[in-house]
Amino acid sequence: MTRRLQAVAAAGLLAVLAACGGGSSPSDHPSASPAPTYTSPPPQLPTQPVALSTKPPPWFPPAVSQPTQSAAYVAAAGLPYAEEMLKVHYHAHLDIDINGKAVAVPPYIGFVVKGNRAIGLAPLHTHKDDGIIHIENNVPADFLLGQFFIEWGVRFTPTCLGPYCTDKTHELAVFVNGKKYAGDPTRLVLKSHQEIAIEYGTTGRLPTPPASYKFPSGY
């Protein structure tokens, strides 16, 4: 899988950032049909059946691991895709720690690919492996953490992350700005400069979650 990631990137996905922006102005993007206006998350997720990974990480996004299905994962998250929409533009940060080891949040989550070319982005997406989630839309709207994991192709429920589920000796916890989140984490609304930490490990022995993240200038 690592070789596949490298091969796909070399063949074209490294050019995706240039093609779809990576922070550049919309006028620099290839022409694309306008996305339907996204105004709110669907009441139930996923909106259509997709295979969500229950294997250990690394977790490569559909744009890399199964590009022909990348649009299906975005649709299952209840999201449209098109060129970047920057009228509403903010960022959250995600850390994942499993049994004391950090798990990378990869680039190209939320990218829709045809061949070796990106043909659009979902309003939730990543450009780098820095854990920064880009939230971009043409109108203000709520976006959920659960939507992000569906378009990533990874199982995420209140009790499971990928293959890691709660049991008599292990717990799964979500923290927002250093404080434990008590609600359904899949319905957690993403907000500007949020620091989200998902931790799985021995019950009562999870690492201290980060309370904040230093975003780059301009974010």
Side-chain angles (χ1 to χ4, degrees):
M1 184 62 75
T2 298
R3 290 182 179 178
R4 175 173 174 79
L5 172 64
Q6 294 172 342
V8 172
L13 277 183
L14 283 181
V16 161
L17 291 181
C20 280
S24 60
S25 64
S27 62
D28 295 331
H29 304 163
S31 60
S33 299
T37 299
Y38 173 90
T39 57
S40 63
Q44 292 187 342
L45 291 167
T47 62
Q48 62 186 45
V50 288
L52 300 175
S53 179
T54 57
K55 296 180 179 180
W59 294 314
F60 299 115
V64 172
S65 62
Q66 42 185 330
T68 60
Q69 297 300 310
S70 54
Y73 280 85
V74 169
L79 298 170
Y81 70 88
E83 62 182 27
E84 279 186 307
M85 298 170 286
L86 301 175
K87 290 182 179 179
V88 176
H89 187 192
Y90 55 99
H91 307 87
H93 185 262
L94 176 62
D95 281 302
I96 299 175
D97 186 285
I98 296 176
N99 294 322
K101 296 182 179 180
V103 174
V105 179
Y108 312 128
I109 296 171
F111 279 63
V112 175
V113 175
K114 185 175 183 180
N116 287 327
R117 178 175 173 269
I119 60 172
L121 292 175
L124 297 180
H125 58 267
T126 59
H127 288 291
K128 300 179 182 179
D129 60 356
D130 52 12
I132 295 177
I133 303 173
H134 295 248
I135 300 108
E136 302 167 5
N137 201 36
N138 53 357
V139 297
D142 286 344
F143 294 90
L144 307 179
L145 185 60
Q147 290 177 289
F148 181 73
F149 275 91
I150 290 171
E151 64 176 358
W152 187 357
V154 178
R155 178 174 69 168
F156 179 53
T157 73
T159 58
C160 292
L161 175 61
Y164 306 101
C165 297
T166 57
D167 56 28
K168 293 181 179 179
T169 58
H170 294 85
E171 64 177 315
L172 177 68
V174 176
F175 299 85
V176 179
N177 299 331
K179 296 181 179 180
K180 192 171 183 179
Y181 185 73
D184 180 350
T186 68
R187 308 299 296 188
L188 172 62
V189 177
L190 301 175
K191 296 182 179 180
S192 179
H193 284 196
Q194 220 170 22
E195 164 55 31
I196 301 168
I198 301 176
E199 299 185 355
Y200 175 87
T202 302
T203 301
R205 299 178 65 182
L206 297 180
T208 301
S212 62
Y213 177 76
K214 187 176 181 180
F215 288 86
S217 177
Y219 279 54

